[in-house]
Amino acid sequence: MSAPRSPRGVAVVTGGSAGIGRAVVRELAARGWDVAVLARGRDGLAATVADVAAAGRRGIGVVCDVAHREQVEAAATRVEAELGPVEVWVNNAMASVFSPFSDTDPDDFERATAVTYFGQVHGTRAALDRMRPRDRGHVVQIGSALAFRGIPLQAAYCGAKHAVVGFTESVITELRHEGSRVQVSMVHMPGMNTTQFGWVRTTMPNHPQPVAPIYQPEACAKVVAEVVDHPRRRTWVGESTVYTILGSWAAPWFVDRYLARTGVDGQLTDQPRSTMRGDYLDAPVPGDAGARGEFDDQSWSWSPQVWLQQRRHAVDAAGTAALTLGAVAGALTAVTTTARAVQRRRAAPSARARRWLGR
């Protein structure tokens, strides 16, 4: 808090003390944002605020359960009182239950939905209540490939992520209707090497794992920061996200069969459930977990699609410039060709006249 105010402004990240949220906080702080972190665990909050300070930026950690609207509202009020107006709000907090739907306790299902879906609803409401009167700001929803394709063992999470898409699309159209300059973006993620697989509630006998291919959270966080800097409505991160979404649109019957055959075993390791760190559904797991999970040796830090998404604005600008240069070159060629044709037509009568005069 001893650093000067950032000229970029204040960003809020929910669920920012671990996993992809932690990586996003670090990336935004490195790019010059002051960052407020909302999460339940005090240990993780303290360590994340220390990351922000190490980047030379101001930061605060606010203990907050995003499933409760009044806590989110109180957190937003505190952030603006201590750091200043919120310019960016990243809704990232989530919770899941690894279990077949028929084996999932109804209370666990509702809790996962409250955090993953209503957490984004409450965060969006708190952000827009402050951004709309100022007619500026940017809300970023962290989504998933599973917002378009449900998979086994994650009915609560998939249903909540599907709901976030519908909710967000409604908000986008309402903001456009009123002519607001507040931006809303969705960034849909692949399977990542994050902390949740070590502390998710599960009824399965084995330790859960992300759906392969697995991406490192830092690579995906750079895409989020790119979207913060250059807002766009929808971004798909990772080749697997693209294939999942397009495959579900083009051949849902094939994806149903494939997931029925491979989706359960593909989300479980050979390790027993007892090797997990704990269970975070109802209360935070003590300690600082950081951004990464336990699958470094299987995770990608780079891929062509993610590399391009990290530089989407520059790639779009280069493409626009190339198209412009091509159009200019084509126009010059057309003008030159037309001028030569006119010269030939003008010269033609003189040639005929010379032949008629015998010259």
Side-chain angles (χ1 to χ4, degrees):
M1 294 295 289
S2 61
R5 284 197 174 198
S6 167
R8 303 208 69 180
V10 176
V12 173
V13 181
T14 70
S17 64
I20 180 62
R22 181 70 166 271
V24 169
V25 170
R26 291 169 175 167
E27 187 65 29
L28 292 178
R31 296 188 182 209
W33 291 90
D34 292 335
V35 186
V37 186
L38 276 56
R40 295 176 303 163
R42 295 182 183 275
D43 296 336
L45 279 172
T48 309
V49 172
D51 289 344
V52 176
R57 299 285 9 117
R58 298 184 308 147
I60 60 170
V62 183
V63 175
C64 177
D65 185 336
V66 298
H68 300 286
R69 180 177 54 82
E70 66 279 4
Q71 292 189 29
V72 178
E73 178 63 27
T77 299
R78 179 183 166 189
V79 169
E80 293 217 325
E82 297 189 23
L83 289 183
V86 173
E87 302 294 340
V88 171
W89 187 293
V90 181
N91 281 312
N92 165 75
M94 54 76 62
S96 186
V97 180
F98 267 64
S99 174
F101 172 68
S102 57
D103 295 340
T104 305
D105 185 282
D107 290 338
D108 292 350
F109 196 101
E110 291 181 12
R111 169 64 181 168
T113 302
V115 175
T116 307
Y117 173 57
F118 282 107
Q120 297 219 11
V121 172
H122 300 331
T124 301
R125 186 185 303 279
L128 293 183
D129 284 349
R130 289 154 178 81
M131 293 175 179
R132 287 175 61 242
R134 298 192 285 257
D135 201 26
R136 71 176 192 273
H138 187 190
V139 177
V140 181
Q141 315 284 45
I142 302 301
S144 170
L146 306 187
F148 301 88
R149 172 68 242 187
I151 64 173
L153 304 184
Q154 296 202 56
Y157 179 80
C158 294
K161 287 297 187 183
H162 274 71
V164 167
V165 172
F167 158 72
T168 302
E169 290 174 344
S170 292
V171 171
I172 288 172
T173 56
E174 290 169 1
L175 290 171
R176 289 187 176 181
H177 172 74
E178 69 183 48
S180 174
R181 290 187 291 180
V182 176
Q183 301 280 341
V184 180
S185 301
M186 292 179 281
V187 184
H188 296 294
M189 295 295 183
M192 293 178 289
N193 176 31
T194 61
T195 54
Q196 72 143 328
F197 299 94
W199 57 27
V200 65
R201 180 165 295 180
T202 178
T203 64
M204 306 303 291
N206 289 14
H207 191 305
Q209 68 177 3
V211 176
I214 305 170
Y215 296 78
Q216 293 288 22
E218 293 85 359
C220 299
K222 290 183 184 296
V223 180
V224 176
E226 170 74 6
V227 172
V228 167
D229 287 343
H230 307 287
R232 55 183 181 272
R233 178 181 173 184
R234 181 185 294 111
T235 301
W236 298 347
V237 184
E239 289 83 352
S240 58
T241 300
V242 176
Y243 299 153
T244 298
I245 295 173
L246 295 182
S248 297
W249 289 345
W253 55 269
F254 172 80
V255 180
D256 286 344
R257 291 182 180 180
Y258 176 78
L259 288 172
R261 187 172 64 254
T262 67
V264 173
D265 291 342
Q267 295 185 78
L268 300 173
T269 71
D270 295 331
Q271 299 298 313
R273 183 173 63 192
S274 60
T275 60
M276 297 171 64
R277 289 189 58 180
D279 181 332
Y280 76 153
L281 188 62
D282 294 320
V285 176
D288 174 31
R292 293 189 179 187
E294 306 166 34
F295 306 98
D296 274 341
D297 58 339
Q298 305 172 43
S299 300
W300 297 1
S301 295
W302 184 92
S303 81
Q305 199 272 354
V306 173
W307 185 90
L308 287 172
Q309 292 294 350
Q310 291 171 353
R311 296 157 179 81
R312 174 78 173 269
H313 181 70
V315 171
D316 288 348
T320 301
L323 289 173
T324 302
L325 289 174
V328 170
L332 290 174
T333 300
V335 169
T336 302
T337 302
T338 302
R340 288 175 178 172
V342 170
Q343 289 176 351
R344 287 196 296 271
R345 286 197 299 271
R346 289 177 176 174
S350 299
R352 287 196 294 270
R354 286 196 295 272
R355 287 196 298 271
W356 182 75
L357 293 172
R359 298 176 182 177

